[in-house]
Amino acid sequence: MAFRLKLVPDVTHINFFRWRSLTTGSSVVLMIASVILLLTMGLNFGIDFRGGTTIRAESSNAFDVGDYRAALEPVVEGDLSITEVFDPTFGPDRHVAQVRIGLTDEAGSITPEQLNEYQAALQEIDPAVTFAAVESVGPKVSGELIMTAIYAVTAATIGILLYIWLRFEWQFAVGGVIALVHDVLLTLGIFSLFQLRFDLTTIAALLTILGYSINDTVVVFDRLRENLMKFKTMPLIDVMNLTVNETLSRTVMTGVTTILALAPLLVLGGDVIRNFVFAMLWGVIVGVYSTVYLAKNVVLMLGVKRDWSKPEKAAPGEKDDLAGTPFQDAP
């Protein structure tokens, strides 16, 4: 007999609404706290958004990032970030480092004299090092990137709102979008709290979080719509509890498998993708929470149509099979 891993029993009767005031209130408090952090501490924008210069340094000798940093820190005025670039196409005698220097002047670029000074500092510890490419991002371009990022996240959120509205009802759309805003705000809040580098890769993570979270929410909403038409006399809160319990195994398994894929990348992926992976990992966790608790709480508060094909009032003598389904308190 084949072994089958079960993280959640096939049938559960958990009362997810027992602490709905606490869960909803906690989400509101965390969202407000995230906004306060963003207004007071701000985000630690990377070079993509602040402007600066990226230098691609190549050498035939293996190098240590710490040695490169020690050589450049005395001569670099702006913020300094050094990462080693890994590529399976690189041969054993090709070693590449990416050196990022924060904005040093209004143009966002470094002078040829500064470039020569940086190369000379590195050649003292590695005579074979060369600068293969130098790219600069000025403050005007970085400002445009910030606005483009805001437009991208806003457009994705509006598109999701319209999709949910057309597929279900406006109450579902409001609940889904509030859950998305919750996920994005909490992700921005933790980046602000720990001053993690926020760049274009983080924007990509935010957009991915939007897609992951709404996918989870749509699965629950789709089952909820089926149950609303099936159990027309069952109280709305019980239908929602039944729905979340029926989809709980899928929600947990999807979240756990995604975390299992992201956790090794967070530990072993290196500095280049660490912030992206952390944003994804955090987004998956808050996305599962908002799907199970926040989105359905909003729909419950707004109310929802019970039957799309028949009058809401059941015929005399009509009774639902699961009208008395009990739900135990959530742990």
Side-chain angles (χ1 to χ4, degrees):
M1 185 175 180
F3 174 75
R4 182 185 175 191
L5 176 64
K6 290 184 179 181
L7 298 180
V8 178
D10 291 333
V11 180
T12 59
H13 300 288
I14 301 174
N15 184 4
F16 289 99
F17 285 96
R18 183 188 180 192
W19 307 106
R20 67 177 182 270
S21 297
L22 177 61
T23 54
T24 304
S26 300
S27 296
V28 172
V29 170
L30 290 174
M31 291 168 69
I32 294 174
S34 297
V35 172
I36 293 174
L37 285 172
L38 291 172
L39 294 177
T40 55
M41 299 181 63
L43 292 169
N44 179 23
F45 288 114
I47 291 176
D48 296 333
F49 294 133
R50 286 188 303 176
T53 300
T54 300
I55 301 173
R56 184 183 179 91
E58 297 190 7
S59 176
S60 57
N61 302 321
F63 63 87
D64 183 81
V65 172
D67 294 339
Y68 271 34
R69 180 177 294 277
L72 289 175
E73 280 182 343
V75 295
V76 171
E77 298 177 1
D79 295 335
L80 178 64
S81 172
I82 305 173
T83 56
E84 186 173 359
V85 179
F86 296 96
D87 193 313
T89 62
F90 291 169
D93 59 346
R94 187 182 182 188
H95 304 276
V96 179
Q98 184 171 262
V99 181
R100 294 188 174 188
I101 302 171
L103 192 66
T104 56
D105 58 22
E106 294 182 357
S109 60
I110 59 177
T111 64
E113 292 76 14
Q114 289 175 313
L115 186 62
N116 292 333
E117 187 178 9
Y118 301 157
Q119 186 166 1
L122 291 180
Q123 285 178 338
E124 290 183 4
I125 59 173
D126 184 4
V129 69
T130 60
F131 288 168
V134 179
E135 299 177 352
S136 297
V137 178
K140 182 178 180 180
V141 174
S142 61
E144 292 175 352
L145 288 175
I146 293 177
M147 294 307 302
T148 302
I150 294 174
Y151 294 152
V153 176
T154 303
T157 304
I158 293 175
I160 290 170
L161 171 66
L162 295 175
Y163 168 74
I164 300 297
W165 193 338
L166 293 173
R167 178 166 179 176
F168 300 102
E169 293 287 330
W170 67 269
Q171 296 95 332
F172 291 88
V174 173
V177 168
I178 289 179
L180 293 183
V181 172
H182 166 272
D183 299 344
V184 171
L185 275 181
L186 263 59
T187 303
L188 294 176
I190 199 168
F191 266 73
S192 177
L193 178 63
F194 294 109
Q195 288 296 289
L196 302 175
R197 188 176 69 251
F198 190 88
D199 50 24
L200 286 178
T201 60
T202 313
I203 296 297
L206 289 178
L207 293 173
T208 308
I209 290 170
L210 291 180
Y212 177 90
S213 181
I214 200 61
N215 179 67
D216 251 5
T217 305
V218 165
V219 169
V220 177
F221 281 173
D222 199 46
R223 179 64 63 87
L224 175 58
R225 182 173 60 176
E226 294 176 2
N227 286 338
L228 286 173
M229 292 185 288
K230 184 178 180 181
F231 308 112
K232 293 180 282 295
T233 61
M234 182 187 293
L236 179 59
I237 189 171
D238 289 340
V239 178
M240 288 187 169
N241 254 329
L242 174 65
T243 299
V244 178
N245 277 276
E246 288 179 343
T247 58
L248 183 61
S249 177
R250 182 264 176 201
T251 300
V252 172
M253 286 296 293
T254 303
V256 170
T257 52
T258 306
I259 290 173
L260 288 176
L262 292 173
L265 289 176
L266 181 66
V267 177
L268 305 173
D271 183 69
V272 176
I273 63 171
R274 181 165 290 121
N275 290 332
F276 170 82
V277 176
F278 176 79
M280 284 287 300
L281 190 61
W282 174 256
V284 168
I285 295 172
V286 297
V288 170
Y289 172 85
S290 65
T291 295
V292 173
Y293 287 103
L294 185 59
K296 65 177 181 50
N297 288 354
V298 174
V299 175
L300 179 65
M301 288 187 291
L302 294 175
V304 66
K305 188 175 181 179
R306 298 303 305 270
D307 191 352
W308 282 262
S309 59
K310 298 179 180 180
E312 292 188 16
K313 186 176 180 180
E318 183 177 352
K319 185 178 180 181
D320 295 324
D321 295 337
L322 299 180
T325 300
F327 293 96
Q328 67 187 41
D329 292 333

